[in-house]
Amino acid sequence: MTFEFLEPLDNTLVDYIATLPEQSLGKNASLHVEGDFPEVENVSMAIIGVLDNRGDGEESDPIHFNYIREQFYSLYPGNWDKTIADLGNIPAGATLQDTYYVVKVIVEQLIKSRIIPIVIGGSQDITYAMYRGYDKLEQMVNLVAIDNKFDLGRDNKVIRAESYLTSMIVDEPNNLFNYSNVGYQTYFNSQEEIDLIEKLYFDAYRLGEITGNSTIAEPVFRDADLISLDMESVRSADSGNIVKFFPNGFNGKEICTLARYAGISDKVTSFGIFNHQDTKQEALLIAQVIWYFIEGVNYRSNEYPFNTKIDYLKYTVLIDEEELVFYKSDKTERWWIEVPLVTGGNNKLKRNTLLPCTHDDYLAACDQSFPERLWKAQRKNII
């Protein structure tokens, strides 16, 4: 692997970690320190900082993520068997495009090596660079954004934190199969943007839907490859973000629950956290979000993709002369619905595939209600 672009952790941070108890995460992670890059052959997850927030369109104070790392490495691991490495930081390039290139190359290398990159970013446009890291992996990409906005913009020539999704939709190669937003707040999004999300058959869940029942988000994460968390989706009372004040949003418990859903998904191969203030107030919550993501990864059930359907119960439901096929895992009691290959069109799926769903989706189908997520998946496969 080529990691010469990465800078080691600050010596002050390394000195702080040296003072921590032996059981702490800091003493159980491989660290990129000056003159010593960690071995990554047996690593499961790699933490990387991206010291570039120019996508916000504003010059701001330098970022280093020492506060986040101090809080994270002070925590204690759970009953984990996965190994963690901190590869250090990607410095801001001469141009924003230079930064994107480095992020893309490193994310691609890590995913090819079956290492999950945990990217602590500056601005959320870094998500675009992570997405481009999938270009050579020969797969369609499902993106889930935990965000109070859709981040659509009219001008796709300049990538910005508030418009990176537009570039992902229109730029070639077009690997984006699905985009799901978890936690959008209607008053931050124009009706034109909301209509566009619907027209593209993307999925969007309002903040109130998720806070009322967070379990509806679990199948969404189960079908994701890339997770992008905008910390501005968390209310300031819980995040400590008093620089940009957000009276509404997820609370600390809810955002950690979503991070665990992201981690426990067998399909998720990269996770990014963006648009936070590099302050002590927000650092502990971000540290706990990372902790819960790693906790989820350690408790993956390895149910995707199915190697065999022996351990799954099959249910067939007839709706208007169409057979819907559901599968339920004996191991976790989670549900999937079969998306059949569509004749004609683009056939993006190439083969029958399984779409994560809930038990409620099955019950609704029994009551002759066609699952909305299945309908959207079928539409995306033929347009």
Side-chain angles (χ1 to χ4, degrees), residues 36-107:
D36 187 10
F37 193 86
E39 296 289 336
V40 296
E41 282 73 16
N42 298 315
V43 167
S44 302
M45 287 160 278
I47 296 173
I48 303 165
V50 182
L51 308 182
D52 198 334
N53 54 9
R54 285 175 291 183
D56 277 337
E58 299 177 3
E59 293 295 330
S60 57
D61 295 333
I63 50 180
H64 50 71
F65 307 135
N66 283 357
Y67 297 139
I68 296 172
R69 284 179 163 116
E70 285 178 5
Q71 295 291 347
F72 175 71
Y73 289 123
S74 298
L75 302 176
Y76 293 94
N79 186 22
W80 300 346
D81 59 4
K82 306 294 185 185
T83 52
I84 306 166
D86 192 325
L87 303 186
N89 298 317
I90 297 173
T95 67
L96 197 50
Q97 292 297 327
D98 291 336
T99 303
Y100 292 162
Y101 174 77
V102 176
V103 173
K104 170 189 172 180
V105 169
I106 291 177
V107 166

Side-chain angles (χ1 to χ4, degrees), residues 13-190:
L13 174 64
V14 175
D15 292 341
Y16 171 79
I17 293 173
T19 67
L20 296 173
E22 291 300 317
Q23 299 86 356
S24 67
L25 277 169
K27 291 294 183 67
N28 289 275
S30 300
L31 307 177
H32 180 192
V33 299
E34 193 169 349
D36 187 10
F37 193 86
E39 296 289 336
V40 296
E41 282 73 16
N42 298 315
V43 167
S44 302
M45 287 160 278
I47 296 173
I48 303 165
V50 182
L51 308 182
D52 198 334
N53 54 9
R54 285 175 291 183
D56 277 337
E58 299 177 3
E59 293 295 330
S60 57
D61 295 333
I63 50 180
H64 50 71
F65 307 135
N66 283 357
Y67 297 139
I68 296 172
R69 284 179 163 116
E70 285 178 5
Q71 295 291 347
F72 175 71
Y73 289 123
S74 298
L75 302 176
Y76 293 94
N79 186 22
W80 300 346
D81 59 4
K82 306 294 185 185
T83 52
I84 306 166
D86 192 325
L87 303 186
N89 298 317
I90 297 173
T95 67
L96 197 50
Q97 292 297 327
D98 291 336
T99 303
Y100 292 162
Y101 174 77
V102 176
V103 173
K104 170 189 172 180
V105 169
I106 291 177
V107 166
E108 177 188 319
Q109 290 180 348
L110 290 173
I111 295 175
K112 279 184 176 178
S113 302
R114 299 186 180 276
I115 300 171
I116 300 173
I118 301 174
V119 176
I120 309 171
S123 45
Q124 199 177 10
D125 52 298
I126 302 298
T127 304
Y128 176 82
M130 294 178 67
Y131 163 70
R132 292 269 71 108
Y134 289 82
D135 284 352
K136 297 180 180 179
L137 302 183
E138 298 181 354
Q139 67 170 84
M140 299 301 291
V141 179
N142 289 344
L143 164 68
V144 174
I146 306 171
D147 204 334
N148 58 14
K149 305 183 188 72
F150 295 133
D151 295 324
L152 290 163
R154 296 180 182 276
D155 183 8
N156 65 293
K157 295 180 181 179
V158 180
I159 303 172
R160 288 285 181 259
E162 69 277 3
S163 62
Y164 72 90
L165 180 59
T166 301
S167 299
M168 293 176 67
I169 294 170
V170 302
D171 286 0
E172 297 289 343
N174 192 319
N175 308 322
L176 184 65
F177 182 75
N178 191 41
Y179 163 80
S180 298
N181 176 287
V182 174
Y184 81 96
Q185 298 175 41
T186 306
Y187 38 72
F188 287 141
N189 300 275
S190 70

Side-chain angles (χ1 to χ4, degrees), residues 129-310:
M130 294 178 67
Y131 163 70
R132 292 269 71 108
Y134 289 82
D135 284 352
K136 297 180 180 179
L137 302 183
E138 298 181 354
Q139 67 170 84
M140 299 301 291
V141 179
N142 289 344
L143 164 68
V144 174
I146 306 171
D147 204 334
N148 58 14
K149 305 183 188 72
F150 295 133
D151 295 324
L152 290 163
R154 296 180 182 276
D155 183 8
N156 65 293
K157 295 180 181 179
V158 180
I159 303 172
R160 288 285 181 259
E162 69 277 3
S163 62
Y164 72 90
L165 180 59
T166 301
S167 299
M168 293 176 67
I169 294 170
V170 302
D171 286 0
E172 297 289 343
N174 192 319
N175 308 322
L176 184 65
F177 182 75
N178 191 41
Y179 163 80
S180 298
N181 176 287
V182 174
Y184 81 96
Q185 298 175 41
T186 306
Y187 38 72
F188 287 141
N189 300 275
S190 70
Q191 190 58 49
E192 181 183 12
E193 292 172 323
I194 296 172
D195 291 342
L196 180 58
I197 292 294
E198 187 67 25
K199 182 179 179 180
L200 293 172
Y201 304 112
F202 290 156
D203 301 309
Y205 301 85
R206 292 178 61 178
L207 175 66
E209 291 181 82
I210 304 300
T211 56
N213 179 13
S214 63
T215 60
I216 66 176
E218 187 276 328
V220 180
F221 288 104
R222 209 186 328 151
D223 198 38
D225 301 288
L226 165 60
I227 308 292
S228 176
L229 167 57
D230 184 340
M231 285 301 296
E232 293 179 2
S233 67
V234 182
R235 66 187 186 188
S236 291
D238 286 60
S239 70
N241 183 354
I242 57 176
V243 179
K244 295 182 179 180
F245 186 76
F246 294 94
N248 292 306
F250 293 113
N251 63 32
K253 179 181 177 181
E254 290 161 349
I255 201 66
C256 287
T257 296
L258 296 179
R260 192 177 191 278
Y261 283 154
I264 210 168
S265 165
D266 295 316
K267 195 169 182 282
V268 169
T269 49
S270 59
F271 181 67
I273 303 173
F274 308 100
N275 286 353
H276 53 83
Q277 303 301 318
D278 194 24
T279 63
K280 292 181 179 179
Q281 289 83 354
E282 202 166 11
L284 180 55
L285 178 58
I286 294 173
Q288 292 182 0
V289 165
I290 298 171
W291 190 97
Y292 272 100
F293 176 78
I294 295 172
E295 168 89 346
V297 173
N298 275 272
Y299 285 96
R300 288 184 173 184
S301 56
N302 299 315
E303 290 183 314
Y304 180 90
F306 288 155
N307 293 319
T308 174
K309 293 180 179 148
I310 295 176

